mmCIF file of all heavy atoms in Angstrom:
data_model
loop_
_atom_site.group_PDB
_atom_site.id
_atom_site.type_symbol
_atom_site.label_atom_id
_atom_site.label_comp_id
_atom_site.label_asym_id
_atom_site.label_seq_id
_atom_site.Cartn_x
_atom_site.Cartn_y
_atom_site.Cartn_z
ATOM 1 N N TRP A 153 -133.179 -83.618 98.680
ATOM 2 C CA TRP A 153 -133.564 -83.783 100.084
ATOM 3 C C TRP A 153 -134.172 -82.508 100.636
ATOM 4 O O TRP A 153 -133.725 -81.399 100.318
ATOM 5 C CB TRP A 153 -132.331 -84.145 100.935
ATOM 6 C CG TRP A 153 -131.598 -85.378 100.501
ATOM 7 C CD1 TRP A 153 -130.556 -85.452 99.609
ATOM 8 C CD2 TRP A 153 -131.842 -86.716 100.939
ATOM 9 N NE1 TRP A 153 -130.137 -86.753 99.468
ATOM 10 C CE2 TRP A 153 -130.912 -87.561 100.275
ATOM 11 C CE3 TRP A 153 -132.752 -87.308 101.833
ATOM 12 C CZ2 TRP A 153 -130.852 -88.935 100.465
ATOM 13 C CZ3 TRP A 153 -132.698 -88.679 102.028
ATOM 14 C CH2 TRP A 153 -131.768 -89.484 101.349
ATOM 15 N N GLU A 196 -132.791 -84.174 110.782
ATOM 16 C CA GLU A 196 -133.468 -85.135 109.915
ATOM 17 C C GLU A 196 -133.586 -84.560 108.513
ATOM 18 O O GLU A 196 -133.759 -83.349 108.324
ATOM 19 C CB GLU A 196 -134.883 -85.470 110.436
ATOM 20 C CG GLU A 196 -135.633 -86.444 109.539
ATOM 21 C CD GLU A 196 -136.988 -86.848 110.135
ATOM 22 O OE1 GLU A 196 -136.990 -87.286 111.305
ATOM 23 O OE2 GLU A 196 -138.015 -86.724 109.442
ATOM 24 N N LEU A 197 -133.499 -85.427 107.504
ATOM 25 C CA LEU A 197 -133.783 -85.053 106.128
ATOM 26 C C LEU A 197 -134.551 -86.182 105.449
ATOM 27 O O LEU A 197 -134.368 -87.352 105.771
ATOM 28 C CB LEU A 197 -132.529 -84.689 105.344
ATOM 29 C CG LEU A 197 -131.487 -85.752 105.038
ATOM 30 C CD1 LEU A 197 -130.561 -85.265 103.922
ATOM 31 C CD2 LEU A 197 -130.629 -86.073 106.252
ATOM 32 N N ASP A 198 -135.446 -85.792 104.500
ATOM 33 C CA ASP A 198 -136.317 -86.742 103.818
ATOM 34 C C ASP A 198 -136.217 -86.481 102.315
ATOM 35 O O ASP A 198 -136.074 -85.326 101.878
ATOM 36 C CB ASP A 198 -137.764 -86.558 104.273
ATOM 37 C CG ASP A 198 -137.915 -86.609 105.783
ATOM 38 O OD1 ASP A 198 -138.020 -87.699 106.323
ATOM 39 O OD2 ASP A 198 -137.900 -85.509 106.415
ATOM 40 N N SER A 199 -136.346 -87.556 101.518
ATOM 41 C CA SER A 199 -136.321 -87.387 100.074
ATOM 42 C C SER A 199 -137.506 -86.539 99.638
ATOM 43 O O SER A 199 -138.626 -86.675 100.163
ATOM 44 C CB SER A 199 -136.349 -88.740 99.368
ATOM 45 O OG SER A 199 -137.557 -89.432 99.635
ATOM 46 N N PHE A 210 -126.648 -97.870 101.896
ATOM 47 C CA PHE A 210 -126.124 -96.786 102.729
ATOM 48 C C PHE A 210 -124.663 -97.107 103.087
ATOM 49 O O PHE A 210 -124.387 -98.174 103.638
ATOM 50 C CB PHE A 210 -126.937 -96.656 104.020
ATOM 51 C CG PHE A 210 -128.421 -96.478 103.814
ATOM 52 C CD1 PHE A 210 -129.250 -97.590 103.637
ATOM 53 C CD2 PHE A 210 -128.969 -95.208 103.797
ATOM 54 C CE1 PHE A 210 -130.617 -97.428 103.454
ATOM 55 C CE2 PHE A 210 -130.351 -95.048 103.619
ATOM 56 C CZ PHE A 210 -131.169 -96.152 103.439
ATOM 57 N N GLY A 226 -131.168 -93.251 112.425
ATOM 58 C CA GLY A 226 -132.098 -94.082 111.658
ATOM 59 C C GLY A 226 -131.926 -93.906 110.150
ATOM 60 O O GLY A 226 -131.745 -92.790 109.645
ATOM 61 N N LEU A 227 -131.999 -95.049 109.437
ATOM 62 C CA LEU A 227 -131.977 -95.098 107.972
ATOM 63 C C LEU A 227 -133.226 -95.860 107.564
ATOM 64 O O LEU A 227 -133.309 -97.081 107.778
ATOM 65 C CB LEU A 227 -130.710 -95.811 107.467
ATOM 66 C CG LEU A 227 -129.373 -95.365 108.104
ATOM 67 C CD1 LEU A 227 -128.247 -96.322 107.684
ATOM 68 C CD2 LEU A 227 -129.025 -93.938 107.722
ATOM 69 N N PHE A 228 -134.241 -95.197 106.971
ATOM 70 C CA PHE A 228 -135.540 -95.873 106.880
ATOM 71 C C PHE A 228 -136.387 -95.344 105.720
ATOM 72 O O PHE A 228 -136.127 -94.278 105.154
ATOM 73 C CB PHE A 228 -136.284 -95.732 108.200
ATOM 74 C CG PHE A 228 -136.532 -94.304 108.658
ATOM 75 C CD1 PHE A 228 -137.783 -93.721 108.505
ATOM 76 C CD2 PHE A 228 -135.517 -93.577 109.279
ATOM 77 C CE1 PHE A 228 -138.015 -92.420 108.941
ATOM 78 C CE2 PHE A 228 -135.767 -92.270 109.715
ATOM 79 C CZ PHE A 228 -137.003 -91.696 109.542
ATOM 80 N N TYR A 229 -137.415 -96.152 105.426
ATOM 81 C CA TYR A 229 -138.486 -95.795 104.497
ATOM 82 C C TYR A 229 -139.722 -95.513 105.344
ATOM 83 O O TYR A 229 -140.069 -96.299 106.225
ATOM 84 C CB TYR A 229 -138.733 -96.953 103.525
ATOM 85 C CG TYR A 229 -140.026 -96.829 102.734
ATOM 86 C CD1 TYR A 229 -140.057 -96.152 101.528
ATOM 87 C CD2 TYR A 229 -141.208 -97.404 103.222
ATOM 88 C CE1 TYR A 229 -141.245 -96.050 100.817
ATOM 89 C CE2 TYR A 229 -142.388 -97.312 102.515
ATOM 90 C CZ TYR A 229 -142.415 -96.611 101.304
ATOM 91 O OH TYR A 229 -143.596 -96.521 100.585
ATOM 92 N N TYR A 230 -140.432 -94.402 105.059
ATOM 93 C CA TYR A 230 -141.557 -94.052 105.917
ATOM 94 C C TYR A 230 -142.733 -93.487 105.104
ATOM 95 O O TYR A 230 -142.581 -92.530 104.332
ATOM 96 C CB TYR A 230 -141.133 -93.007 106.950
ATOM 97 C CG TYR A 230 -142.218 -92.667 107.939
ATOM 98 C CD1 TYR A 230 -142.409 -93.469 109.047
ATOM 99 C CD2 TYR A 230 -143.062 -91.562 107.740
ATOM 100 C CE1 TYR A 230 -143.410 -93.185 109.970
ATOM 101 C CE2 TYR A 230 -144.064 -91.258 108.655
ATOM 102 C CZ TYR A 230 -144.239 -92.076 109.768
ATOM 103 O OH TYR A 230 -145.242 -91.806 110.675
ATOM 104 N N PHE A 239 -134.543 -99.841 107.860
ATOM 105 C CA PHE A 239 -133.439 -100.680 107.380
ATOM 106 C C PHE A 239 -132.367 -100.828 108.446
ATOM 107 O O PHE A 239 -131.799 -101.898 108.616
ATOM 108 C CB PHE A 239 -132.846 -100.063 106.097
ATOM 109 C CG PHE A 239 -133.797 -100.001 104.944
ATOM 110 C CD1 PHE A 239 -134.230 -98.779 104.437
ATOM 111 C CD2 PHE A 239 -134.278 -101.166 104.343
ATOM 112 C CE1 PHE A 239 -135.096 -98.712 103.371
ATOM 113 C CE2 PHE A 239 -135.147 -101.103 103.269
ATOM 114 C CZ PHE A 239 -135.564 -99.867 102.782
ATOM 115 N N GLU A 310 -141.375 -91.962 101.782
ATOM 116 C CA GLU A 310 -140.107 -91.260 101.514
ATOM 117 C C GLU A 310 -138.939 -92.020 102.118
ATOM 118 O O GLU A 310 -139.109 -92.774 103.087
ATOM 119 C CB GLU A 310 -140.163 -89.859 102.128
ATOM 120 C CG GLU A 310 -141.319 -89.003 101.654
ATOM 121 C CD GLU A 310 -141.548 -87.793 102.574
ATOM 122 O OE1 GLU A 310 -140.966 -87.807 103.681
ATOM 123 O OE2 GLU A 310 -142.307 -86.887 102.183
ATOM 124 N N LEU A 311 -137.770 -91.801 101.534
ATOM 125 C CA LEU A 311 -136.534 -92.284 102.149
ATOM 126 C C LEU A 311 -136.088 -91.216 103.140
ATOM 127 O O LEU A 311 -136.124 -90.014 102.826
ATOM 128 C CB LEU A 311 -135.467 -92.509 101.078
ATOM 129 C CG LEU A 311 -134.138 -93.084 101.551
ATOM 130 C CD1 LEU A 311 -134.347 -94.503 102.118
ATOM 131 C CD2 LEU A 311 -133.127 -93.104 100.413
ATOM 132 N N ALA A 312 -135.690 -91.627 104.350
ATOM 133 C CA ALA A 312 -135.364 -90.648 105.386
ATOM 134 C C ALA A 312 -134.140 -91.086 106.172
ATOM 135 O O ALA A 312 -133.803 -92.277 106.277
ATOM 136 C CB ALA A 312 -136.560 -90.442 106.323
ATOM 137 N N ILE A 313 -133.448 -90.064 106.735
ATOM 138 C CA ILE A 313 -132.282 -90.272 107.606
ATOM 139 C C ILE A 313 -132.437 -89.316 108.759
ATOM 140 O O ILE A 313 -132.739 -88.125 108.564
ATOM 141 C CB ILE A 313 -130.968 -89.985 106.848
ATOM 142 C CG1 ILE A 313 -130.866 -90.800 105.541
ATOM 143 C CG2 ILE A 313 -129.759 -90.257 107.726
ATOM 144 C CD1 ILE A 313 -129.717 -90.376 104.629
ATOM 145 N N ASN A 314 -132.244 -89.812 109.995
ATOM 146 C CA ASN A 314 -132.332 -88.888 111.125
ATOM 147 C C ASN A 314 -131.350 -89.257 112.235
ATOM 148 O O ASN A 314 -130.787 -90.355 112.263
ATOM 149 C CB ASN A 314 -133.760 -88.761 111.652
ATOM 150 C CG ASN A 314 -134.331 -90.069 112.180
ATOM 151 O OD1 ASN A 314 -133.606 -91.032 112.419
ATOM 152 N ND2 ASN A 314 -135.652 -90.109 112.383
ATOM 153 N N ARG A 364 -141.210 -93.481 114.427
ATOM 154 C CA ARG A 364 -142.250 -92.482 114.586
ATOM 155 C C ARG A 364 -143.605 -93.152 114.650
ATOM 156 O O ARG A 364 -144.133 -93.683 113.783
ATOM 157 C CB ARG A 364 -142.178 -91.505 113.412
ATOM 158 C CG ARG A 364 -140.979 -90.574 113.574
ATOM 159 C CD ARG A 364 -140.960 -89.493 112.540
ATOM 160 N NE ARG A 364 -140.575 -90.040 111.214
ATOM 161 C CZ ARG A 364 -140.411 -89.263 110.148
ATOM 162 N NH1 ARG A 364 -140.593 -87.966 110.242
ATOM 163 N NH2 ARG A 364 -140.074 -89.798 109.008
#
Side-chain angles (χ1 to χ4, degrees):
W153 303 90
E196 178 175 308
L197 67 163
D198 308 275
S199 64
F210 305 85
L227 313 170
F228 58 102
Y229 166 88
Y230 184 84
F239 297 114
E310 303 164 347
L311 183 64
I313 305 170
N314 62 15
R364 286 187 287 185

